[in-house]
Amino acid sequence: MIKAKFRANIVRLILLLFLLLCAVFIFRYTASAKDWAFFQTNSHVYTGGKLTQAGEITDREGRTLSKTEDGKRVYNKNKDIRKATIHAVGDHDGYISTGVTNALKDKLVGYSLVNGVYTYSGKGNNANLTIDANISVAAMKALGSSAGCVGVCNYKTGEVLCMVSTPTYDIENLKEYEKAKNGELGSVFMNRFISSAYTPGSTFKIITSAAAIETLGEAAYDMDFNCDYGTVIEGEKLNCLGKHKTVTLKRAFSHSCNAYFSNMALTLGKSTMTKYAEKFGFNKTFLIDGIKCAKTSYSVKNSRNIDFGWSGIGQHKNLCNPVQYLCMVSAIANGGEYKEPFLVNSITASNGKLLYEAKPKTVRMIKKDTADKLAFLMDYAAKDNYGKSTFGTLDVCGKTGTAEVGKKMENSLFIGFCKDENLPLAFVVIAEGDENGRKSAMSVANKTLQAAKKQLIK
């Protein structure tokens, strides 16, 4: 009897151990199966270490951006299109980690937890992107030799029509590709639109304005501050490019008065400014098709008043991400809410079966009344200071920014949107180390928007 009981306990122990091992295996399989399937020695997915079993990637007009042909990944025949879209499409070696080819390779290959990378066709799935290749080329050419990025989206739908990052390279030019891999062309594998966080400069004055409008009400428009090429805060000078004298919100916004917005930040206080910075997406990580963007930041808790003043005009420790800014101006243009931006419109199997279709969520960022008042300020700035003629027949509202990122280096920013009902576009342009200030960013924006108008309104 004792022996039988002992043997039963042994059996129970073995069974328990077996179940435990099964649980560990299932856990590890669930957690790591995708990594195992996409190990670069898997010949079902890779050829010579390069991803080949992925379907065709096309732009919104059906232009081929990348596909597998004769066991090799090939790209669009036009060099400019290849260079302008490579950061959105991604490369077959996986250097551009945020490109669709790599970030969403499980969907392109047709991976599932049950079947692994096995598909009946063996050709993978096809992805149709929201970007327009021709608009992207126009943006790339407009940026020229400047490092930076351009993002354009439809603020009513969330479709990203342009996502360009420079410097870039031609993946089909073997010598150029080898130089890129050896680091001889600079940071060409980095998608600045997704993976960068920039000092926002005067574009941040939109947030300071929103904080003033919602906190002070109508009094925000009458409150004035003195500008004598800047202001003095606790004995330290905070510079401004102009001598705006006594200035109120409307003129201060149009002429980007540093003295006004630094003093307004001090008036509102750190907790209020932090609250509104976070309303507009600071201290958050944005996603685009599940791809993580660079984290933004606004931190003034232990800052001296002079540094807090600088934060009110977009300097100090402020860092913005281009995707975040695209969401922000989309919300201003769209009554305070935005559609989550997306790059992948749909994914279909090789037999045409629809596997995925984008359904972006609507996010409320600010009150409609606040959005309308900010839109008015951006419209006024374009008319009063930037010059509406800069954008031809386009009705553009915007805010410029010149961000100091070093003793001798400045970035030029321009963010905004088109009021045209037939062209509901939000945009962000950043040109790094720019010598021509805001004019370059506005020029890039104009050339990109004109190309968008030509492509979208036919």
Side-chain angles (χ1 to χ4, degrees):
M1 184 72 180
I2 295 174
K3 286 184 178 180
K5 189 175 180 180
F6 176 75
R7 289 170 182 168
N9 287 336
I10 291 294
V11 170
R12 288 192 189 98
L13 183 62
I14 293 171
L15 180 61
L16 183 64
L17 183 61
F18 174 75
L19 291 174
L20 180 63
L21 290 173
C22 286
V24 170
F25 173 78
I26 291 170
F27 173 78
R28 288 198 62 194
Y29 177 76
T30 304
S32 307
K34 187 162 74 171
D35 293 333
W36 299 339
F38 287 99
F39 196 68
Q40 284 191 308
T41 55
N42 185 350
S43 59
H44 293 289
V45 180
Y46 297 93
T47 301
K50 299 179 186 294
L51 181 69
T52 52
Q53 185 175 309
E56 184 177 17
I57 300 174
T58 57
D59 80 344
R60 63 184 298 105
E61 296 295 330
R63 303 179 186 96
T64 298
L65 302 178
S66 177
K67 65 179 179 179
T68 298
E69 197 173 80
D70 298 327
K72 179 184 177 184
R73 202 70 185 162
V74 297
Y75 298 77
N76 192 278
K77 294 180 180 179
N78 183 288
K79 180 183 73 173
D80 288 334
I81 290 178
R82 292 196 297 269
K83 295 181 72 172
T85 61
I86 189 63
H87 291 95
V89 174
D91 64 308
H92 44 57
D93 276 326
Y95 292 113
I96 303 177
S97 61
T98 57
V100 169
T101 300
N102 300 300
L104 304 178
K105 59 188 174 186
D106 56 331
K107 294 181 175 62
L108 289 175
V109 169
Y111 167 83
S112 73
L113 195 61
V114 176
N115 294 323
V117 295
Y118 172 79
T119 59
Y120 292 108
S121 67
K123 297 178 180 178
N125 301 323
N126 304 319
N128 176 247
L129 307 187
T130 58
I131 62 169
D132 184 288
N134 290 339
I135 299 174
S136 301
V137 168
M140 179 189 71
K141 289 184 175 180
L143 275 169
S145 60
S146 296
C149 64
V150 179
V152 180
C153 78
N154 182 320
Y155 57 73
K156 291 187 180 295
T157 65
E159 297 166 279
V160 176
L161 306 175
C162 173
M163 185 177 77
V164 168
S165 177
T166 56
T168 185
Y169 67 100
D170 182 4
I171 193 170
E172 294 280 32
N173 183 319
L174 186 58
K175 288 183 179 180
E176 194 169 319
Y177 192 36
E178 288 301 319
K179 285 183 178 180
K181 288 193 289 184
N182 293 332
E184 297 174 38
L185 301 180
S187 53
V188 294
F189 296 131
M190 182 183 191
N191 184 345
R192 283 165 161 75
F193 180 69
I194 289 178
S195 302
S196 288
Y198 290 95
T199 302
S202 290
T203 56
F204 189 84
K205 290 169 184 174
I206 293 173
I207 289 95
T208 308
S209 298
I213 290 168
E214 287 200 1
T215 305
L216 304 175
E218 291 301 316
Y221 295 94
D222 297 323
M223 186 176 289
D224 60 61
F225 297 100
N226 185 63
C227 174
D228 183 9
Y229 292 108
T231 188
V232 176
I233 299 174
E234 294 184 345
E236 295 187 59
K237 184 70 178 284
L238 187 151
N239 296 317
C240 183
L241 293 176
K243 185 177 182 179
H244 299 117
K245 300 182 181 179
T246 302
V247 63
T248 54
L249 177 59
K250 185 177 173 182
R251 184 164 171 264
F253 189 92
S254 174
H255 291 270
S256 206
C257 178
N258 288 347
Y260 178 92
F261 285 99
S262 57
N263 278 302
M264 179 56 81
L266 288 165
T267 300
L268 294 169
K270 293 179 180 179
S271 61
T272 297
M273 285 299 298
T274 300
K275 172 185 172 182
Y276 279 89
E278 291 181 347
K279 270 193 175 186
F280 282 92
F282 284 85
N283 298 331
K284 294 180 183 178
T285 300
F286 282 73
L287 299 175
I288 181 166
D289 290 304
I291 304 168
K292 281 188 177 182
C293 300
K295 188 175 182 180
T296 65
S297 64
Y298 180 82
S299 177
V300 294
K301 185 177 180 180
N302 299 313
S303 301
R304 299 180 305 144
N305 280 345
I306 183 67
D307 295 324
F308 178 43
W310 280 111
S311 78
I313 63 172
Q315 293 289 155
H316 190 39
K317 298 179 181 179
N318 303 17
L319 290 174
C320 69
N321 171 259
V323 174
Q324 170 210 358
Y325 259 24
L326 201 60
C327 294
M328 187 179 91
V329 289
S330 292
I332 294 170
N334 204 39
E337 61 184 26
Y338 67 91
K339 290 281 190 181
E340 290 182 336
F342 63 97
L343 180 63
V344 180
N345 183 46
S346 64
I347 295 176
T348 55
S350 58
N351 62 4
K353 181 182 178 182
L354 182 65
L355 302 174
Y356 166 83
E357 186 173 28
K359 294 178 181 178
K361 295 179 182 177
T362 300
V363 180
R364 170 64 61 180
M365 182 173 271
I366 50 176
K367 298 175 183 176
K368 183 181 186 305
D369 183 60
T370 304
D372 292 343
K373 288 174 179 175
L374 292 174
F376 169 80
L377 290 174
M378 294 169 75
D379 183 50
Y380 180 75
K383 291 175 180 174
D384 181 60
N385 192 11
Y386 311 149
K388 284 283 188 178
S389 60
T390 301
F391 308 100
T393 59
L394 296 176
D395 195 358
V396 172
C397 304
K399 182 71 187 80
T400 58
T402 304
E404 296 179 8
V405 291
K407 291 183 179 180
K408 296 182 180 180
M409 184 176 174
E410 292 182 339
N411 292 339
S412 172
L413 300 89
F414 188 50
I415 63 176
F417 59 92
C418 293
K419 288 171 66 178
D420 309 57
E421 278 296 316
N422 295 324
L423 205 65
L425 303 180
F427 62 85
V428 54
V429 175
I430 301 174
E432 299 177 20
D434 185 59
E435 297 179 354
N436 298 312
R438 72 181 197 195
K439 290 183 179 179
S440 284
M442 281 196 291
S443 176
V444 173
N446 178 51
K447 290 174 182 176
T448 303
L449 292 173
Q450 296 297 343
K453 180 181 179 181
K454 184 178 179 181
Q455 289 297 310
L456 302 176
I457 302 179
K458 299 177 181 178

